[in-house]
Amino acid sequence: MYTIDSKSYPCCTSVTMRFIGGKWKAVILHHLIGGAKRYNELRKVIPTITERTLSLQLKQLEEDNIIDRKVYTEKPPLMVEYTLTDFGKTLLPVLEAITQWGIAAPDNSKKITKN
Amino acid sequence: MYTIDSKSYPCCTSVTMRFIGGKWKAVILHHLIGGAKRYNELRKVIPTITERTLSLQLKQLEEDNIIDRKVYTEKPPLMVEYTLTDFGKTLLPVLEAITQWGIAAPDNSKKITKN
DNA sequence: CAGCATCCGCTATGATACTG
DNA sequence: CAGTATCATAGCGGATGCTG
């Protein structure tokens, strides 16, 4: 049994899902593998996420110390960059496995269409 | 861009999360890696899941052709076994990566307590 | 044993408009 | 540019009781 922020998780698998579960977190992290990205750059590569949701997910990832948020300007227009922390980088093998499966999946399931 | 059941997914990562995302699916699959398990066996190894949720998640995994449901009796008491399908087994590398990260995570983050 | 039925609150996600 | 505010909704997950 594991405890995170006063909540219980029954096994190691559920611990991982606590950090990268949900609809968007793995996708965001996937796009940060190549290096730092700005808020609007993330929006462009994930066109179906809304501003609000992206904002909330980034905040949570930052709280979990998986990504780092750096502000480069004092006054508008703002310039903010997001990068993986060292802890976040320990997720690389997981993200890689998730990505590879997603690439191969359309060949293995009729439900998935690539277009 | 990918399409599954008339919904759009912006990248391969989000496709994978469509199948194993959420709080429980990866946990359930993790416990099926070793072979077939019955409904109540799953409940025992995942004590914090409710009957209803386990039931719903199993149904969804079955619909996605990730697990197979076999009924071995005609009349009560019922005997039902769940196993990974061949398609489900393609998830093994992903589940393995998720599990390994969960095992190592408490050493890398102060937020996680093992007890 | 392996579930379904019902009710319900919470959280996640979304649409739109606005701001430092 | 990088968000926040507000409002709204859908689905997840839970509690309890019942059934073939």
Side-chain angles (χ1 to χ4, degrees):
Chain A
M1 202 71 116
Y2 299 84
T3 305
I4 307 169
D5 294 334
S6 307
K7 288 186 182 175
S8 296
Y9 297 82
C11 77
C12 45
T13 309
S14 59
V15 168
T16 307
M17 297 315 283
R18 150 69 178 72
F19 283 89
I20 62 161
K23 193 171 173 180
W24 296 114
K25 283 183 179 172
V27 179
I28 293 169
L29 295 174
H30 168 71
H31 288 294
L32 290 179
I33 291 178
K37 276 216 162 54
R38 299 172 63 174
Y39 182 81
N40 272 353
E41 289 180 309
L42 287 172
R43 284 193 62 201
K44 267 177 214 162
V45 291
I46 316 174
T48 50
I49 198 171
T50 61
E51 294 177 14
R52 172 191 152 83
T53 300
L54 176 58
S55 197
L56 287 172
Q57 302 296 309
L58 287 169
K59 212 173 284 180
Q60 287 178 26
L61 289 168
E62 195 191 351
E63 265 175 32
D64 285 341
N65 194 33
I66 290 172
I67 63 172
D68 196 30
R69 179 180 185 271
K70 277 182 193 148
V71 186
Y72 288 97
T73 53
E74 277 278 319
K75 289 176 184 176
L78 291 184
M79 152 123 181
V80 179
E81 272 190 357
Y82 295 93
T83 51
L84 291 176
T85 61
D86 286 341
F87 178 50
K89 285 176 186 167
T90 64
L91 280 166
L92 284 175
V94 181
L95 296 170
E96 178 64 17
I98 289 174
T99 302
Q100 287 306 316
W101 191 85
I103 291 172
D107 297 331
N108 298 321
S109 172
K110 298 169 187 170
K111 304 188 77 165
I112 311 168
T113 312
K114 195 175 174 181
N115 45 339
Chain B
M1 203 71 118
Y2 299 84
T3 305
I4 307 170
D5 294 334
S6 308
K7 287 186 181 175
S8 296
Y9 297 82
C11 77
C12 45
T13 309
S14 59
V15 168
T16 307
M17 298 316 283
R18 150 69 178 73
F19 282 89
I20 63 161
K23 192 172 176 181
W24 296 115
K25 283 183 180 172
V27 179
I28 294 169
L29 295 175
H30 168 71
H31 288 293
L32 292 179
I33 291 178
K37 276 218 162 53
R38 299 173 61 175
Y39 182 80
N40 272 352
E41 289 180 309
L42 287 171
R43 284 194 61 199
K44 267 177 214 161
V45 291
I46 316 174
T48 49
I49 199 172
T50 62
E51 294 177 15
R52 170 192 153 83
T53 299
L54 176 56
S55 199
L56 287 174
Q57 301 295 310
L58 287 170
K59 209 172 287 180
Q60 287 178 28
L61 289 168
E62 196 192 349
E63 265 174 32
D64 285 342
N65 193 35
I66 290 172
I67 63 172
D68 196 31
R69 180 180 185 270
K70 277 182 192 147
V71 187
Y72 287 97
T73 53
E74 276 280 319
K75 288 177 184 176
L78 290 185
M79 153 119 179
V80 179
E81 271 191 357
Y82 295 93
T83 52
L84 291 176
T85 61
D86 286 341
F87 178 51
K89 284 175 186 167
T90 65
L91 280 166
L92 284 174
V94 181
L95 295 170
E96 179 63 17
I98 289 174
T99 302
Q100 287 307 315
W101 191 86
I103 291 172
D107 296 332
N108 298 321
S109 172
K110 297 169 187 169
K111 303 188 78 166
I112 311 169
T113 311
K114 196 175 173 180
N115 45 339

